[in-house]
Amino acid sequence: MRIIKAKDYEDMSKKAANIIASQVIMKPGAVLGLATGSTPIGTYKQLIKKYNNGDLDFSQVTTVNLDEYKGLAKDHDQSYYYFMHQNLFDHINIKPERTFLPDGTQADSDNACADYDRIIAEVGGVDLQLLGIGHNGHIGFNEPGSVFEKDTHCVDLTEKTIQANKRFFASADDVPKQAYTMGIRTIMMARKILLVASGEEKAEIIKEAFFGPVTPAVQASILQLRKHVILVADEAALSQVK
Ligand code: PGA
C-alpha cells in the first residue's frame, strides 16, 4: 500500500485526478471503476479541467460504477446514474454507451446483479478502481457484516449509512433501503485501487481500515491484502495515523 498525504481536500482531489489521468494516458482504452459520494466530486472536477485543457481524452474509456440505489429511476436527482452524469459524464467526451452502473430500476435483484457481473466481465475487469470510504468502513455499499460478499449483490443499507445519506433526501424515510453494489472480489480484482478520503470525520475509520485487523466488520480492511492500493488522503483524514 502507498499512502499519499495531501494538504487538504483540493490537494487530495488534484493528486487523485493525476493518478486517474496517468492511467488514461498510459491506456486510452482503460476501464475505470468509479465511485459516488461527496469525496470524489473534487477529483471529477479536476478530470473535467484536464479534459477542457486538452490534456485528457476519454473517447476510448469505459467506466463501471460501484453501486446504485435500488428503486430510483435514472432521472431521480439522487440516483447514482444522475450523479455521474452531473458530476462527470456530461462534461467530458466519454461515450455514454461505455458508462455502466448497476440498473437500480430492475426490480429482480438476482437478474440485476448477474447482468452487472456479466458487464464487468465483458469489459475485461477494472484497470483502476476509485473508492471512497464510509464512516463504517464500507466500500461501494459493502456494509459491515460477517462475510465479504464476492460478487454484485443487493444490500440492505445500515442505519448509519441511511443517516449519513439522508442529507441528500427530504428525510431519512426517503433514502432507499436497498442498493446494488459491486462485490469485494470484483473490487479486489481491479488491477489498481485508489481510495480517497478527506476530513477529520474519516480519521478513525482510516486508521481502523488500514492499520486494524482485516475483518468483514470493516469491509475496507481487506484492501490491506492488496499490494497496488494507493490511499490519497488529506492531513485531517490521516490525523490518527502515526
Ligand atoms: P462520502 O461517502 O464520500 O460522501 O463521505 C463515501 C462512502 O460512503 O463511500
Side-chain angles (χ1 to χ4, degrees):
M1 179 181 63
R2 283 191 55 195
I3 300 180
I4 297 179
K5 192 183 214 169
K7 214 160 67 54
D8 51 22
Y9 180 76
E10 172 86 3
D11 189 32
M12 178 211 76
S13 301
K14 283 186 182 161
K15 287 179 158 64
N18 284 341
I19 292 167
I20 297 170
S22 54
Q23 171 69 70
V24 173
I25 291 164
M26 298 286 282
K27 186 176 176 186
V31 177
L32 302 178
L34 297 180
T36 52
S38 38
T39 313
I41 291 176
T43 304
Y44 295 149
K45 284 208 174 94
Q46 294 295 330
L47 290 175
I48 293 166
K49 209 186 241 179
K50 289 176 192 295
Y51 166 72
N52 286 333
N53 289 343
D55 293 332
L56 264 189
D57 174 17
F58 290 90
S59 62
Q60 296 177 61
V61 167
T62 297
T63 64
V64 287
N65 259 78
L66 283 169
D67 45 18
E68 178 61 284
Y69 287 117
K70 182 179 174 183
L72 290 194
K74 290 194 166 78
D75 62 356
H76 189 291
D77 66 1
Q78 292 306 325
S79 77
Y80 288 161
Y81 177 95
Y82 190 92
F83 175 103
M84 288 310 302
H85 280 265
Q86 286 283 306
N87 288 295
L88 184 64
F89 299 155
D90 291 353
H91 309 285
I92 57 175
N93 66 334
I94 196 156
K95 296 194 175 84
E97 67 273 18
R98 303 293 322 154
T99 65
F100 299 98
L101 292 95
D103 182 0
T105 65
Q106 211 172 318
D108 184 315
S109 301
D110 290 346
N111 282 344
C113 295
D115 284 353
Y116 201 55
D117 282 332
R118 196 168 321 113
I119 288 168
I120 295 166
E122 277 169 15
V123 301
V126 177
D127 288 303
L128 174 63
Q129 178 65 57
L130 175 65
L131 299 172
I133 184 168
H135 298 97
N136 61 7
H138 74 200
I139 45 178
F141 269 134
N142 292 282
E143 297 281 44
S146 53
V147 294
F148 294 107
E149 291 270 358
K150 293 188 285 259
D151 300 314
T152 302
H153 56 285
C154 181
V155 288
D156 296 327
L157 303 185
T158 61
E159 194 50 38
K160 200 165 184 181
T161 299
I162 290 170
Q163 289 303 320
N165 289 6
K166 74 173 183 202
R167 66 190 196 275
F168 302 115
F169 292 83
S171 75
D173 285 343
D174 294 309
V175 183
K177 303 294 177 281
Q178 291 187 308
Y180 297 139
T181 185
M182 212 185 249
I184 292 294
R185 169 166 48 202
T186 313
I187 294 172
M188 288 293 277
M189 290 203 16
R191 289 176 270 282
K192 286 180 224 106
I193 297 174
L194 166 62
L195 190 141
V196 287
S198 169
E200 182 74 44
E201 80 275 8
K202 292 288 171 71
E204 180 69 36
I205 194 64
I206 287 293
K207 185 176 94 179
E208 260 188 75
F210 288 95
F211 299 93
V214 174
T215 165
V218 181
Q219 295 270 318
S221 65
I222 200 162
L223 299 174
Q224 292 180 44
L225 304 182
R226 279 293 311 268
K227 189 157 170 250
H228 294 291
V229 173
I230 306 172
L231 167 63
V232 179
D234 61 17
E235 285 171 7
L238 290 172
S239 57
Q240 296 203 25
V241 175
K242 297 283 167 296

